[in-house]
Amino acid sequence: MPAPTRSAILQRLLAVLLLRLTHLTAPVGTLPAEHAETFQRFRAAVEIDFTRARDVGHYARVLGYSPRTLTRAALAAAGVGAKEFIDRRVVLEAKRLLAHGDQSVAGIGARLGFLDTSNFVKYFVQRTDSTPAAFRSRYRPARAAR
């Protein structure tokens, strides 16, 4: 597949995923109002703080909920636990920056709140089965060669 086509496809897929994460609707069935409001507040807080905080405890303290309450709300609304929801948002942003930006892997890691590049690489690999550099070269081979 030509690099421009692959890049365009990736861009659209990332846009769709971002839209799904930021505009999640309640799944089929009735979501208790307490979970809907809790999840909406949690999702908004994640959008604000995901570059600074990746632990559920931070969001629980900020919002005045227990970590278990946030996890139950995220499971009910998004089908994943609170920690997984946060991690997916961080990985989505990392992929977006790798695919569409020119910042170094170290710079992207720092931008996402990682104090050490190796911690960012390890985090990314655990969640994507790819290194950041390999991900970037797979979706931007023409730019990587420049």
Side-chain angles (χ1 to χ4, degrees), residues 94-110:
K95 286 180 174 181
R96 185 186 72 77
L97 293 170
L98 289 164
H100 301 292
D102 292 322
Q103 200 170 14
S104 69
V105 171
I108 291 170

Side-chain angles (χ1 to χ4, degrees), residues 7-18:
S7 180
I9 290 170
L10 174 64
Q11 183 177 10
R12 300 265 177 334
L13 288 172
L14 288 173
V16 168
L17 184 57
L18 182 58

Side-chain angles (χ1 to χ4, degrees), residues 5 18-19 30 52-53 65-66 92 94 100 106 117 123 138 140 142:
T5 303
L18 182 58
L19 283 172
T30 305
R52 293 184 296 274
Y65 296 113
S66 73
L92 175 66
H100 301 292
T117 304
Y123 181 90
R138 189 167 52 246
R140 293 179 31 178

